[in-house]
Amino acid sequence: MAADSSLPPQGAAPLAARDAPAADRPFRILCLSGGGYLGLFSAHVLARIEQVSRRPIIQDFDFICGTSVGAVTAMALSLAVPAAEIEAALIKNGPLVFARRTRFSAAGWTVSFLRNLFRPKYGDEALRQSVLELLGAETRLAEARCKLAIPAVNMTTGRIEIFKTPHALNWSHHGAVRMAELGLAATAAPTFFPLAALNDSLYADGALFANAPDLVGLHEAEYYLKVPVERIRMLSIGTTTASFSLPHRFGRNYGVTRWLRGARLWSTILAAQQQFTHGLLLHRLGANYLRIDSVRASGQEIDLGFDRPSQAATHTILSLADFAFEDGMKHGGLDSFFEVATPEA
């Protein structure tokens, strides 16, 4: 990459200078979790918010953090793409992104499992096309209309990385990164998709360390943007959290097959991580922190999963998201994060 290619477009001031929030009002942060097709949950909640407010999400939030599918959603929102369009894209492209290579049967599962010992479960061609449709091929991170932070894992350097818009005066080296390429890097979930190439490095899904990127958002606001903690208000939207308990009847000896079947290991890591994050944010922000999510009941696990874009899953996810939205509006104070549009006369 050329020496000046990471700079914002000529004449564009850093986001910090363009839209610094007034010091006398809350600094609102939106955090979007990862979860594959379950990202439909957060997209639908966001679509309901825009339906009530009649304005783009970015007009009500100063900063958006997104992990995995939440990263793609965050970048699309930053370009003022309506949340309803993001929702429609997930429903349309989900079956293509997570297309099964083998028939669902005992024999088919065995063949698929053996194949996946040596390569990812899915290719990333359909994922790439889906991301391109939402973000465009040449859109740069510096073109975002709000502050962004996107977690990813650089497997070449062995370091976690937070991709950011140039919202600080001395932070511009991610500005020229193409959003579509970052979207592939941020969603490269291990065992599901190939590693993604970005610049000269290979990347994996940021969910490995920040599936719920709430701590990323808090740290970014406090440490880099110097926002006093008492001004911070955070809305965190999940993708339906899975239970990760195990029955005693199966014993203690869980090998590779048991841990990997049904993405049990992946689900356990993400759910435990989200519990930890949720607890810390409640301690740090108290009533200024709101988490909108739904814990999947045991009977729903048949339909719901990271890579299960069935019609049944779609209906279940939308129903859970509707309930979570309504509950947040009635009891959680969700409406305090955005302006409710006045009905037209």
Side-chain angles (χ1 to χ4, degrees):
M1 182 176 287
D4 63 349
S5 62
S6 61
L7 298 176
Q10 189 172 5
L15 283 168
R18 294 208 301 267
D19 60 356
D24 60 347
R25 71 169 178 82
F27 185 86
R28 292 189 174 94
I29 303 173
L30 173 63
C31 294
L32 304 174
S33 296
Y37 189 66
L38 295 167
L40 178 61
F41 178 94
S42 52
H44 189 61
V45 171
L46 292 165
R48 291 292 307 272
I49 291 175
E50 288 190 339
Q51 186 179 41
V52 172
S53 68
R54 298 184 187 176
R55 50 198 262 147
I57 289 291
I58 56 174
Q59 292 189 25
D60 291 302
F61 289 90
D62 303 292
F63 187 38
I64 304 179
C65 298
T67 298
S68 196
V69 65
V72 177
T73 299
M75 287 187 283
L77 292 173
S78 79
L79 300 174
V81 175
E85 288 188 16
I86 301 171
E87 176 185 335
L90 284 166
I91 294 173
K92 182 187 77 169
N93 295 321
L96 303 176
V97 172
F98 298 110
R100 291 187 180 275
R101 289 173 172 164
T102 55
R103 188 174 58 185
F104 187 74
S105 64
W109 183 88
T110 301
V111 171
S112 179
F113 178 79
L114 292 174
R115 178 189 290 123
N116 295 342
L117 290 176
F118 302 97
R119 65 180 185 181
K121 190 173 184 179
Y122 306 103
D124 61 1
E125 297 82 7
L127 176 61
R128 179 184 300 275
Q129 185 58 40
S130 178
V131 171
L132 286 172
E133 287 178 13
L134 278 174
L135 304 177
E138 297 299 327
T139 311
R140 310 282 177 155
L141 202 56
E143 296 176 53
R145 302 180 195 175
C146 71
K147 301 175 181 67
L148 293 174
I150 308 296
V153 179
N154 190 322
M155 299 301 297
T156 299
T157 64
R159 298 179 65 86
I160 63 174
E161 195 164 347
I162 310 295
F163 287 84
K164 310 175 190 180
T165 46
H167 49 251
L169 292 175
N170 62 344
W171 194 271
S172 62
H173 56 284
H174 289 150
V177 171
R178 291 181 178 86
M179 285 189 178
E181 293 182 3
L182 177 55
L184 285 175
T187 57
T191 74
F192 289 98
F193 296 111
L195 295 173
L198 178 58
N199 296 333
D200 295 317
S201 294
L202 297 177
Y203 285 86
D205 197 321
L208 288 169
F209 73 98
N211 191 58
D214 308 12
L215 286 171
V216 173
L218 179 64
H219 181 70
E220 189 72 20
E222 279 193 290
Y223 186 82
Y224 290 106
L225 299 177
K226 310 301 181 186
V227 180
V229 69
E230 59 271 13
R231 279 186 53 212
I232 296 174
R233 297 203 64 215
M234 182 179 291
L235 173 62
S236 173
I237 305 180
T239 55
T240 77
T241 299
S243 170
F244 58 89
S245 59
L246 298 173
H248 271 282
R249 63 178 294 185
F250 290 163
R252 298 183 297 114
N253 297 317
Y254 276 71
V256 172
T257 301
R258 273 190 172 177
W259 271 117
L260 294 186
R261 188 166 191 174
R264 179 177 283 138
L265 179 61
W266 184 247
S267 297
T268 301
I269 291 171
L270 300 191
Q273 183 192 116
Q274 287 177 190
Q275 279 190 19
F276 175 69
T277 299
H278 180 68
L280 288 185
L281 264 295
L282 279 176
H283 291 166
R284 291 287 288 124
L285 299 181
N288 287 331
Y289 174 70
L290 176 62
R291 173 80 170 171
I292 301 293
D293 201 3
S294 178
V295 178
R296 281 174 258 162
S298 57
Q300 295 168 337
E301 293 291 349
I302 298 174
D303 290 333
L304 303 184
F306 182 92
D307 59 342
R308 298 178 191 172
S310 66
Q311 189 174 48
T314 299
H315 288 308
T316 302
I317 294 168
L318 295 180
S319 177
L320 292 174
D322 279 328
F323 181 84
F325 172 80
E326 297 292 347
D327 188 63
M329 291 290 285
K330 292 177 182 177
H331 308 295
L334 176 58
D335 56 333
S336 66
F337 283 91
F338 57 91
E339 295 182 16
V340 176
T342 303
E344 296 178 1

